[in-house]
Structure formats: structure tokens, C-alpha cells
Amino acid sequence: CCIELPKIVRLEWSDKLGLKHCHPDSDEFNSSEEAVLRRIGATRTEQIYHNRVNTKIVEGSKALQHQWSETKQNLKDTKHDSAGYTCFGDRYGNKQGMTETFLRDAVESGCKILENAYVERIVYDFVPHDIYNIHRAGVRKASAVLVRQNGQLLTIKASRCVICAAVRYFFLSYSYFITFINVFFFLLLVDVLIMNRHSFCFCCRVQGALNTPGVLTRSGFRNPHIGKHLHLHPVTAAYGRYREDIKGWLGAPMTSCNNEFVSGPNGDGYGARIECPPLHPGVSAAASQWHDSVQFKETLLSARNLALAITLQRDIGEGQVKQGPGDTVTVDYELHPSDMQSIAAALKGLIKVLIASGAERVSTMHNDDNGYVCRNISCASSSNKLNPHERIAQQEVQNYLQLVEKQHLPMRKHKGLIISAHQMGTCRFGTTSAQSACDENGELWECDNLFVADTSLFPTASGSNPM
């Protein structure tokens, strides 16, 4: 699923934050984005095959006349059943992600790989002020990275260091975090590529928005914005149970997107998208409420008939991340009231989409939600079958939607499942060191030749899946 940075976000970054090169009319930004999309094979949307989950979301969105779109894909074949398993690894190379494209390009160009390595800190030299660096807070220049491998410390020299990374996904019980999937991270360091379970290094050091601040603080940098302004793209979900087989684990995920609630309740662009992740048994179990063992078993036994979709919130709220014991990090984040309101509105919209597409039963992830069994959807030839709008207008449905809103406003801790889809913002870029950790090019204000190039740079949540 490849969604470009939304126009409203780029306008906010350029007009409100002064990052002019992010403007929608920026040729530099647009050509760079096009180059990335072209390299990963995501420049077109034709010939995209929707699996049954995406088909249901499209059908419901059309029935309710919601705004929706197909998403660009970096899969060679969206129809093949294995496309639904690329989240666990991709031995066939169907997904044209980092390992199949830019990382392969780097290795073929002569990059060396140092396995099972952990970057301790950035090494820098002290240099005198000159015209080039006089605008910076310090007089440091990055020159190497200190790496620990199999108990040994190695110093890898580099003329330029670039910290970059992928994202990490984890569950929250509202604001308490459990790691769900560790995705390999990337790091750039001249002609050396370092790879371990936390990071890849190619031209510098990688960790991601959760770990990049730790690398910088361990290296002695003290800009007050390092580790602050954490955005998490909070996600919750709802599922519909259908009479026919859905098999949400097969086929490409997220080939469609409902954009009806992107503007948000306040019309400021801090709203939510509705997307369709793959629904594997582990996800079904983790995303299901627990009332008792019988209910839980019944839910899992019906997994082949379930379609689950998420509401991905562009969060206006912020948190922070700090270095914890050893290699761990500590995350402090609370949902902002405005984000709660937007999540609840999008969640109700998602339920309507599921009902409109013919779901026999719908439910959210809230522990107190017993779900709703839909009426008047028995068969196409039934004389009393209601159209989607009539179905949703039923008093029973309206009562259930009111209950969902009551359960999620406010959101009580440990009552509903909230997931962080993407982490952003902990080393954000800006026009001055007073408002950011890095300059417009991603270079650290405190150190020359040290660049951040992952989602840590984002000055706000992106509202789209970071590529």
C-alpha cells in the first residue's frame, strides 16, 4: 500500500512550518517521490485485484457514496494468494520493498554487510566555525559510527552519516505498549551496510522514530526536540461477519482506502483513513474482545467469514520516547481528546460500511461491545430486504452506533484495543533549532554531516503509510 504524502499535509508543512520544499508544487519533492514510486513499481493502480476484505469495503463505500480510492501497490501480483503473507517475509520477491529494491541496489553497487551489529553512537570531530556551519548550534562534524558486534567494538569511518529506518508496529491497551512486529530498520554509512534485528546501516545508522533519539542522546546531542513530538497513527478496528467465505489472509491487503473521514471532525486534516490489513489467525485472536472462552472460540472459528478493517488516525496529539535500560526505550503517550473524537467518528463510519456491504454481524474491539446482529439482509430475493441506507437508518443500528460512541468517548485504558501503525516525529526537521532537531535537509543542527532520513523527521503525523 503506497499512499503519497497528502496535499493537506504538505501545505501544512510548507505554509505553516516554513518547509517550502514540501509544497505540493515543489518540483524537487515531486520528482523525488516519483523516483521512489517508480523504483518500487508503485506508479500505477491499474490491474489491481481486490481480495474479499477490500471488495467488501469498496462495496460498502460505494453503497454509502463515500469517498474511496484504490491504492498504489508495490506488489508484482496482487491476485496471488501469497500476497497476503508478505508481512511475514517474502521468499518469492513479490513485494518490491526495500530488500528487493534499494537495499539490493546498494549491495550490487559494492556495499558491504556487517551482520548482527548494534550501533552504540555517532563519532564526531570538533571543527572551527566557518561560513558553512556558522548557523549551527555546535562545531561538531560526524566522522564515524561506533558499532558493537559479537562483543567487539568496531569504529566504521564515514565522510557522511545518515540515520534512516523503517517502522515498528505494536499494540497498546490504550497507552501501554507491547511489541507486535519488529521490522528491520535501515541506516546509511558511506560504503558499509550494517544489519541486525534492530537496524540496517548503509551510509550511517538506522533505528526508527522509537530508537533514533536514543542513538543521538547516547552520542551526546542535547537538542530539546530529540525524543519529543512522537506521533503514533493510533489504530482501532471493527469487523463484519459474512455468510460467504472471506478468507482475509489471502490476496493483497490494503488495495483500497475509504477517505470519507480524512478531513476529521474539525476539517483540519487530522482525521482517519479506513484500510484493510491481512487477517491472519494471530491478528484475529489479538484483535478480538474477551468475554469468555466460548465467545472467543466462536469468533476464531468464524475467522474465514470475517472482514476486518482499521481506522488509521492522523494524530494531533504528541508523546515522547526516552532511552530505557539496556537497548530498550520508554514511550510516554496519551490520546488527545480531538483524536478520540475523530477515531470514534471514523469507527462508526466503518461499521456503517460493513453493514452496507452485507455483514450479518458487526463488532468493534472494545471489551464491553457485544456486537450487533444485522437484520433484513437474508437474501437478495427477499421482499423485505432493505437497501444499505435503510438498513443503517434502523433504530437498532442507530442505538448500536450511539453505544459505540459512548464506549469510545472517552476511551478508557484497558477497555479497547488501540494499535500504533507508524511512529514519527521524534527528530523533526524545521527551519530553526528552536523548533526542530534537524534542518530542512534533515541534517542535525548540532552536528555537520549527520543526517536523519526516517520517519523521525516528520514535523507532524503524515496521515498516510510512510514508505
Side-chain angles (χ1 to χ4, degrees):
C1 176
C2 304
I3 302 175
E4 296 96 326
L5 191 64
K7 181 179 179 179
I8 190 172
V9 178
R10 292 178 63 175
L11 284 171
E12 181 179 349
W13 290 9
S14 62
D15 296 351
K16 293 184 179 180
L17 303 179
L19 299 166
K20 300 302 182 183
H21 61 294
C22 295
H23 193 275
D25 295 332
S26 169
D27 291 336
E28 181 183 16
F29 190 106
N30 294 335
S31 60
S32 297
E33 184 179 63
E34 177 64 24
V36 172
L37 290 171
R38 184 169 57 252
R39 180 62 186 91
I40 64 177
T43 55
R44 55 188 175 81
T45 59
E46 63 266 23
Q47 298 179 336
I48 288 178
Y49 173 82
H50 297 301
N51 67 4
R52 292 299 299 161
V53 179
N54 282 277
T55 297
K56 289 298 182 183
I57 295 301
V58 171
E59 290 176 353
S61 299
K62 287 182 176 179
L64 298 178
Q65 297 180 318
H66 281 187
Q67 299 180 49
W68 71 278
S69 61
E70 290 184 328
T71 60
K72 295 179 179 179
Q73 298 291 311
N74 65 340
L75 293 166
K76 291 181 179 178
D77 185 0
T78 57
K79 189 174 183 178
H80 198 280
D81 286 349
S82 66
Y85 290 85
T86 55
C87 55
F88 299 119
D90 185 18
R91 65 189 301 178
Y92 303 109
N94 188 8
K95 183 176 181 178
Q96 299 301 289
M98 182 69 72
T99 55
E100 288 294 318
T101 55
F102 293 106
L103 193 57
R104 183 182 293 273
D105 295 344
V107 173
E108 291 177 351
S109 298
C111 282
K112 300 175 183 178
I113 297 177
L114 183 62
E115 296 181 349
N116 301 318
Y118 176 82
V119 177
E120 292 284 355
R121 62 183 178 86
I122 305 296
V123 179
Y124 46 80
D125 301 322
F126 288 91
V127 296
H129 277 297
D130 57 28
I131 295 177
Y132 171 72
N133 61 28
I134 196 170
H135 70 289
R136 299 188 173 278
V139 290
R140 288 174 282 200
K141 183 177 182 179
S143 58
V145 174
L146 188 65
V147 176
R148 184 176 72 241
Q149 184 195 36
N150 300 326
Q152 292 185 323
L153 287 178
L154 305 175
T155 299
I156 301 176
K157 295 183 178 180
S159 60
R160 179 169 294 182
C161 298
V162 182
I163 302 178
C164 61
V167 292
R168 173 176 289 179
Y169 300 81
F170 52 85
F171 285 118
L172 308 80
S173 178
Y174 175 13
S175 63
Y176 296 85
F177 301 80
I178 305 171
T179 299
F180 174 48
I181 299 175
N182 287 326
V183 181
F184 285 128
F185 300 103
F186 306 92
L187 173 103
L188 291 169
L189 194 44
V190 174
D191 60 347
V192 178
L193 179 63
I194 301 171
M195 180 174 68
N196 64 48
R197 69 185 180 91
H198 291 304
S199 59
F200 294 87
C201 306
F202 160 62
C203 248
C204 180
R205 149 95 197 164
V206 184
Q207 283 287 21
L210 294 184
N211 292 292
T212 292
V215 177
L216 297 178
T217 55
R218 289 198 304 271
S219 302
F221 302 115
R222 296 291 179 263
N223 184 289
H225 295 285
I226 295 175
K228 303 294 179 61
H229 315 295
L230 174 66
H231 298 281
L232 295 179
H233 274 171
V235 163
T236 191
Y239 65 81
R241 188 180 68 201
Y242 296 81
R243 180 168 299 177
E244 69 269 31
D245 281 353
I246 300 296
K247 297 182 180 179
W249 54 87
L250 299 179
M254 297 188 182
T255 56
S256 65
C257 181
N258 180 301
N259 305 309
E260 185 70 16
F261 308 96
V262 167
S263 295
N266 301 319
D268 55 3
Y270 285 90
R273 296 178 185 273
I274 294 175
E275 300 177 341
C276 308
L279 187 57
H280 295 279
V283 177
S284 300
S288 298
Q289 326 95 309
W290 177 274
H291 299 308
D292 53 54
S293 58
V294 175
Q295 167 269 326
F296 189 72
K297 181 178 181 180
E298 289 178 346
T299 299
L300 294 189
L301 287 175
S302 65
R304 67 187 296 126
N305 304 106
L306 298 181
L308 180 140
I310 62 173
T311 61
L312 188 149
Q313 173 66 25
R314 184 189 176 213
D315 48 329
I316 195 171
E318 297 182 348
Q320 62 179 337
V321 59
K322 297 179 180 179
Q323 185 72 40
D327 298 338
T328 65
V329 295
T330 300
V331 175
D332 182 10
Y333 183 92
E334 296 281 341
L335 279 173
H336 191 278
S338 180
D339 293 325
M340 292 186 189
Q341 183 182 8
S342 179
I343 290 171
L347 186 60
K348 291 193 299 179
L350 170 55
I351 292 170
K352 293 178 183 179
V353 168
L354 293 170
I355 294 175
S357 64
E360 293 187 328
R361 183 182 184 277
V362 291
S363 179
T364 68
M365 305 296 100
H366 197 281
N367 286 338
D368 295 336
D369 185 1
N370 292 317
Y372 170 72
V373 178
C374 305
R375 313 293 182 187
N376 298 102
I377 60 169
S378 54
C379 63
S381 60
S382 175
S383 60
N384 64 347
K385 183 179 178 181
L386 304 178
N387 66 45
H389 290 283
E390 292 172 333
R391 235 180 280 157
I392 293 169
Q394 293 177 101
Q395 190 58 50
E396 288 182 353
V397 175
Q398 294 302 312
N399 291 343
Y400 176 65
L401 293 173
Q402 290 177 11
L403 176 62
V404 168
E405 181 173 357
K406 183 178 180 180
Q407 290 171 339
H408 289 81
L409 287 177
M411 293 184 180
R412 295 173 57 195
K413 295 180 181 180
H414 311 299
K415 278 294 187 179
L417 182 69
I418 300 290
I419 304 168
S420 168
H422 316 110
Q423 299 81 53
M424 303 153 282
T426 51
C427 298
R428 67 181 184 179
F429 66 163
T431 56
T432 69
S433 59
Q435 65 172 197
S436 59
C438 303
D439 67 14
E440 300 97 317
N441 296 314
E443 190 172 12
L444 210 69
W445 287 110
E446 296 177 85
C447 186
D448 291 337
N449 281 2
L450 177 56
F451 296 82
V452 175
D454 58 23
T455 57
S456 305
L457 273 183
F458 293 5
T460 71
S462 63
S464 60
N465 302 9
M467 290 184 286

